């Protein structure tokens, strides 16, 4: 269907170039912000949870709990917290930090809305990346770190020369899976951003359910598939197992 029509639906995407450019901009902005943050948090959290401490299992449980929450429920939670009459504004006003609420949602506050979307996705889905990275880091032979201690490596040297190189297969898998999921984010964008924040996945929903145009919806879906396929190939080439180990 994406190749049907005169001109084909894929070509029609470019006819409203301003809308197309806005969709691509917001999609890229969210992807390049959320995924690197999640990867960094996942690596450092994995290193942290390798340590044995009292209450470790409980802390680990609460860390991965958000992944069990649905997209819609997570987005509603953050909307409730950041709305003009939400928990955050009430707390700040009660503490005397400000007298009027801060607005995070609406056309005029799209930058703040983007911030909330990023925070919500990092909070909700980092556990997906963490689970893969944590499994991989536990497979690294402890003798590497013991040898590094003998040679006087500090934390950052161990991270650069041992942990990250040996985690390449896990990082590759985590990035591919998280990127596929990130391009499918619909609920949080629609709930938090509404019509003001458009990404590729929400365009599929918009054109199919609201504009009743399955051809344009299919064109956006094909574009999502092509982009995720290309990114997956790049991840495989960038994090090829054995390189830099």
């Amino acid at each position: 269907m994406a190749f049907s029509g005169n001109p084909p639906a894929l070509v029609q995407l470019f006819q409203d170039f301003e809308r197309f450019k806005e969709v691509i901009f917001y999609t890229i902005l969210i992807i390049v912000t959320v995924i690197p943050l999640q990867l960094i948090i996942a690596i450092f959290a994995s290193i942290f949870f390798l340590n044995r401490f009292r209450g470790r299992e409980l802390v680990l449980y609460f860390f991965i709990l958000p992944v069990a929450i649905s997209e819609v429920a997570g987005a509603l939670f953050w909307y409730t917290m950041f709305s003009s009459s939400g928990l955050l504004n009430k707390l700040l006003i009660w503490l005397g930090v400000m007298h009027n609420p801060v607005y995070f949602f609406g056309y005029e506050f799209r930058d703040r809305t983007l911030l909330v979307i990023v925070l919500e996705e990092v909070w909700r889905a980092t556990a997906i990346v963490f689970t893969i990275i944590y499994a991989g880091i536990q497979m690294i032979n402890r003798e590497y770190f013991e040898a590094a201690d003998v040679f006087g490596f500090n934390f950052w040297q161990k991270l650069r020369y041992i942990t990250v190189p040996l985690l390449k297969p896990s990082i590759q898998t985590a990035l591919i899976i998280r990127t596929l999921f990130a391009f499918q984010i619909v609920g949080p964008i629609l709930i938090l951003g509404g019509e003001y924040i458009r990404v590729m996945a929400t365009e599929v929903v918009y054109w199919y359910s609201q504009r009743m145009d399955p051809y344009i919806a299919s064109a956006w879906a094909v574009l999502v598939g092509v982009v995720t396929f290309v990114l997956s190939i790049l991840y495989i080439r960038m994090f090829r197992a054995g390189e830099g180990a």
Side-chain angles (χ1 to χ4, degrees):
M1 296 179 71
F3 301 95
S4 304
N6 187 21
L10 276 170
V11 176
Q12 294 180 43
L13 295 183
F14 298 92
Q15 292 181 343
D16 188 352
F17 187 70
E18 288 302 315
R19 184 184 182 99
F20 178 83
K21 184 171 65 174
E22 180 183 337
V23 170
I24 298 300
F25 171 76
Y26 281 126
T27 302
I28 293 175
L29 183 61
I30 292 173
I31 295 295
V32 301
T33 304
V34 169
I35 294 180
L37 278 174
Q38 290 180 324
L39 181 60
I40 292 170
I41 293 171
I43 291 175
F44 282 99
S46 297
I47 296 172
F48 172 74
F49 282 111
L50 284 178
N51 300 308
R52 301 288 176 178
F53 56 90
R54 189 174 182 180
R56 171 176 169 272
E57 288 75 15
L58 182 62
V59 176
L60 180 61
Y61 171 78
F62 280 106
F63 184 79
I64 65 176
L65 180 63
V67 77
I69 300 174
S70 70
E71 287 187 352
V72 173
L76 287 172
F77 170 77
W78 282 78
Y79 182 82
T80 302
M81 186 164 54
F82 280 88
S83 65
S84 58
S85 58
L87 298 175
L88 179 63
N89 277 305
K90 286 182 178 179
L91 177 62
L92 293 176
I93 292 174
W94 180 74
L95 291 174
V97 176
M98 59 187 190
H99 300 289
N100 298 309
V102 177
Y103 293 93
F104 287 92
F105 304 108
Y107 181 81
E108 297 180 6
F109 312 105
R110 286 179 294 176
D111 292 343
R112 298 175 188 174
T113 304
L114 276 171
L115 175 61
V116 177
I117 291 172
V118 168
L119 291 174
E120 187 274 339
E121 276 302 296
V122 169
W123 167 79
R124 188 187 61 82
T126 297
I128 298 173
V129 182
F130 167 77
T131 303
I132 299 170
I133 299 298
Y134 188 51
I137 204 170
Q138 292 184 86
M139 299 297 293
I140 299 177
N141 194 325
R142 299 297 102 187
E143 293 180 359
Y144 289 113
F145 298 102
E146 293 171 3
D149 289 331
V150 171
F151 287 100
F153 279 32
N154 60 32
F155 172 81
W156 298 107
Q157 288 173 318
K158 292 178 186 176
L159 182 66
R160 177 180 178 184
Y161 296 110
I162 299 175
T163 306
V164 172
L166 293 178
L167 274 178
K168 277 188 175 183
S170 298
I171 292 174
Q172 177 191 101
T173 303
L175 287 176
I176 291 173
I177 292 174
R178 186 63 192 106
T179 300
L180 290 174
F181 287 163
F183 274 96
Q184 298 172 21
I185 300 172
V186 175
I189 306 294
L190 291 177
I191 291 172
L192 299 174
E195 286 293 319
Y196 310 123
I197 305 293
R198 302 186 180 109
V199 297
M200 295 168 70
T202 60
E203 284 296 280
V204 176
V205 175
Y206 169 77
W207 285 99
Y208 188 82
S209 62
Q210 296 189 35
R211 295 292 296 271
M212 304 298 179
D213 191 334
Y215 296 94
I216 299 297
S218 297
W220 277 111
V222 167
L223 192 58
V224 170
V226 170
V227 172
T228 52
F229 176 77
V230 171
L231 287 176
S232 297
I233 297 299
L234 288 176
Y235 289 150
I236 291 171
R237 294 180 64 87
M238 288 171 59
F239 298 97
R240 192 169 296 162
E243 291 184 5

